[in-house]
Amino acid sequence: FQNVIQYADPKYDIESNASCENNMFILTIRNHYRDSYRMKTSHVKPFYQAHNAKDMNGSGLGLYIVKEWASRQNGSLVVNGSSNIFEVTLKIPVPKLT
């Protein structure tokens, strides 16, 4: 959420949606980024930054850590960035209560 807010174009609202479907918790976050770039899930690797690294203060590990964690929970992280729209969808299983 920090990056979503920090790098969002302030002229647009940040959108988020949370739901449960088929025993999966699904969180989608979408923002309008200030610049134009392309990014997809396969780009999410350690130390990768989709934007000009001179403009970033981070290490490029945030999305990678979330992607790895989601995978270990039998879930997924999907990243889709094109033009100035950036969207991340996290899916993780919800334990069944008995």
Side-chain angles (χ1 to χ4, degrees), residues 21-38:
E21 296 176 20
N22 300 321
N23 295 320
M24 297 291 279
F25 172 74
I26 304 167
L27 174 64
T28 301
I29 304 167
R30 180 182 305 116
N31 76 346
H32 287 74
Y33 189 73
R34 293 181 203 150
D35 295 321
S36 181
Y37 65 93
R38 296 209 178 282

Side-chain angles (χ1 to χ4, degrees), residues 31-51:
N31 76 346
H32 287 74
Y33 189 73
R34 293 181 203 150
D35 295 321
S36 181
Y37 65 93
R38 296 209 178 282
M39 185 174 180
K40 56 187 177 180
T41 308
S42 63
H43 293 147
V44 178
K45 297 180 175 125
F47 309 109
Y48 176 79
Q49 295 178 345
H51 320 289

Side-chain angles (χ1 to χ4, degrees), residues 41-45 62-72 75-77 90:
T41 308
S42 63
H43 293 147
V44 178
K45 297 180 175 125
L63 285 175
Y64 175 74
I65 290 169
V66 174
K67 180 181 166 188
E68 290 297 304
W69 175 81
S71 176
R72 290 185 177 147
S76 65
L77 178 75
L90 173 68

